Amino acid sequence: MKLNYIILITLMFLASNTFAQTLYHEKYSWKTSPKITEISEKNKEYEAVVISDNYFIECNIPFNGQPITYSTNHKIVHINSDVGIEKYNKVYIPIQGNSTIINLQVRSIGVDGNVTTIQKDNIKELKNVKGISNVKIFAIEGLEVGGEAEYLYTLKAPITPLGSKTIQSDVPVLEANIRLIYPKQWTFETKSYNKLASAKISQNSTSKKTTYLKQLNIPAFQEEEYAYNSSKMMRFDYKLVNNGYKKNLFSWYYITNNIVESFSSPKTAKVANKFVKEIAKSNLSDEEKIIAVENKIKSTIRLEKGSGDNFTNPKNIIANGYGNLRGIYKLYIYCFAALDIKNQLVFGSSRYDGFIDEDFATFSSINDIFFYFPKSHKYLLPESYHMRYGTVHQGLIDTNAVFISYYVEFGKLKRQLDSFKKINGLAAEFNNVGVIASINFDENLSLPKVILEDYAQGYRAFSYRSVMQSGGSGIQEKFAKDVILSAFENFEVEKIEFEGVDMKLSTDLDNYFRMKMEFTSPELVEKAGNEYLISVGKIIGKQSELYQEKERQQDIVMSTITKYHHEITINIPKGYKLEGLENIKEEHAVNLEGEKAAYFVSDYTQSPSSITITVDEVYETIFFPKSSYQYFRNVINAASNFNKLTLVLIKDQKEL
């Protein structure tokens, strides 16, 4: 969720007696005669190396003027390969709100030292780039391997009293500098994350102060599977806490209070009373009322991006059938008040994007707002339409959040206490996933029929039900084939059935979503002479593999705790037997503090006419230290290895 609009609330407090003077960005410039930087052999292994990356954020209040922020970025990149040219031959400038580019300089330096300066009027802006919005993109011409790209730009925008800069990337950075320049009456707090150097403060004039830091030799960040990645990069956060007139700006109290007040809407009380009138009259428990409210909102109102009264006013939202998050939050709040259901607002952050730092409050760290019901210890997530009352989504598992108690008095929201608590996700007992299948032979041994049930509980069931609700039978059948038959390219489906598709079932964690299918595939059995090779491992679908040549850098994180259990029965035709059964048995585990934290076990039982293969792949925690990576990888890859399992069906000589 984006909360930038709330920052505007602070503008009324920003005032100072600063007079017009020469600004830092006005006197800053690049070198007149640039030279190519010598790169170490180790750094030549990368497609590029950032020679320097400099950020300057200057807050200025002109005499009798409005507060302004000037943001400058000066970057020099050494190119090591054609891949580096492709990656760095464009300048990406993020444009937010009323930002404007007031200075833009771009040049390339050739291996021979020749400088190609691209005049501002000739700089090509690339528009309608797929997948990119709110960004100005400019081309850098004349780049070559061994040369360098350099650009310098400054943005002008209304005052931005807080922000965040990530200065680490997937290539080495030889030097990074950050300068935060502001009136001497102001006080900024800063915090460096992930081993970034701490900032220092100096007063460089009679009217300005500077907070600055320098970091040398920043290593390339190595993205890894089963890791947080971007949230673990070196990052610098800053915020204004004292503008000379008002203190304690951007504390957790200040931030959450502003958000709560922004949801206050006395006129919505009457609208909500009407919206839940039938629910209020029914003889339902509080939990049943919560479920009814959520189902009514999520089944009748679409979540859309937009601004204005049609998107934020609950009366219009109900009438139009769509609204933005801010408006939908209001509707939930006043519906719960109308039904006298006690709840708390929770401000959280996805663990893949960042985290709530109890000691350093920022708007940017909040990317999810939802409800907590103390009586039932359950959650409701207005933004997550694929979920229902009960638990949080996977990104919020094991994260800290701010819990705010509030009440409605004469139609207005009143904030009470707040506390920081840890959020837990679903336990493994509610995240069961698997396949139950039988392989049945008739006269054509090369084309057996498979009768299969794919079942899912918990998080996977939430997602599957959402797909079922979003499309017709054609989409549903395609989805079933994509999931169940992911290991096959050639197949014929005879029958598909679904059970447990209603979204309402997601409120009861004991409910399962099931897809049942009967199919044949010529890829399942291959005839080789008198033998039939059965690719039995394909029945559980494609499995992920985990391979990493470089040493593991990060601890391991899973999306959720899950128990996979598969059962595959092969009904052996009369006069035949199976060979290769010894290849079924495999076992791997990750032990933490003397307990199995994850494991893979495949085994089988045998009767005169069949064998039943069982596969258990279990993850009891979402966190594993990087020291256990080799064992963890063995567990992950064991499922992939099983996917390749082939058994041999041959004539039983005893029957001859």
Side-chain angles (χ1 to χ4, degrees), residues 226-228 351-352 393-399 422-428 431 459 552 555-562 592 597-598 618-625 628 632:
Y226 299 98
Y228 288 140
R351 53 197 167 101
Y352 295 101
H393 62 68
Q394 297 173 27
L396 292 167
I397 295 174
D398 211 45
T399 62
K422 195 170 188 177
I423 299 172
N424 296 315
L426 292 180
N431 267 315
Y459 288 113
R552 182 76 183 188
D555 289 334
I556 302 153
V557 290
M558 300 287 290
S559 60
T560 184
I561 297 169
T562 309
L592 299 178
V618 177
Y619 301 91
E620 299 281 6
T621 178
I622 63 171
F623 291 108
F624 299 86
S628 66
F632 176 82

Side-chain angles (χ1 to χ4, degrees), residues 29 106 118 126 204 254 352 359 450 455 606 638 654:
S29 63
V106 181
I118 305 171
L126 307 179
N204 56 343
Y254 178 89
Y352 295 101
D359 299 322
V450 179
Y455 65 90
Q606 190 170 13
K654 294 178 182 179

Side-chain angles (χ1 to χ4, degrees), residues 297-298 328-336 371 380 382:
I297 291 177
K298 288 184 175 178
I328 290 173
Y329 283 133
K330 290 180 187 178
L331 182 57
Y332 273 108
I333 287 169
Y334 283 92
C335 284
F336 293 144
F371 296 96
L380 188 156

Side-chain angles (χ1 to χ4, degrees), residues 102-171:
I102 62 171
N103 177 47
L104 175 61
Q105 296 171 270
V106 181
R107 67 184 177 185
S108 60
I109 302 96
V111 177
D112 56 5
N114 287 333
V115 179
T116 302
T117 301
I118 305 171
Q119 300 302 317
K120 185 176 181 180
D121 293 340
N122 295 328
I123 294 175
K124 298 177 182 178
E125 180 180 354
L126 307 179
K127 297 182 178 180
N128 301 320
V129 177
K130 185 177 180 181
I132 299 177
S133 60
N134 300 324
V135 173
K136 293 278 189 179
I137 306 174
F138 299 92
I140 303 178
E141 299 176 345
L143 274 186
E144 60 183 14
V145 175
E148 293 179 354
E150 182 175 10
Y151 60 82
L152 170 64
Y153 68 81
T154 298
L155 297 176
K156 178 182 178 181
I159 194 70
T160 308
L162 75 169
S164 181
K165 294 292 181 185
T166 298
I167 64 169
Q168 194 171 17
S169 71
D170 59 351
V171 299

Side-chain angles (χ1 to χ4, degrees), residues 6-7 10 14 161-162 189 239-241 247-255 360-363:
I6 301 173
I7 294 175
T10 66
L14 300 177
L162 75 169
E189 284 185 1
K239 62 178 180 177
L240 178 66
V241 295
K247 299 180 180 180
N248 298 319
L249 296 170
F250 300 110
S251 64
W252 278 120
Y253 177 86
Y254 178 89
I255 290 172
F360 195 87
T362 61
F363 276 109

Side-chain angles (χ1 to χ4, degrees), residues 47 79-89 143-146:
E47 65 264 25
I79 307 299
N80 287 333
S81 67
D82 290 336
V83 175
I85 292 176
E86 182 64 26
K87 185 175 180 178
Y88 290 98
N89 64 0
L143 274 186
E144 60 183 14
V145 175

Side-chain angles (χ1 to χ4, degrees), residues 584-596:
I584 296 174
K585 293 192 173 186
E586 191 167 357
E587 183 172 358
H588 297 278
V590 181
N591 293 301
L592 299 178
E593 298 181 353
E595 299 288 337
K596 279 187 179 180

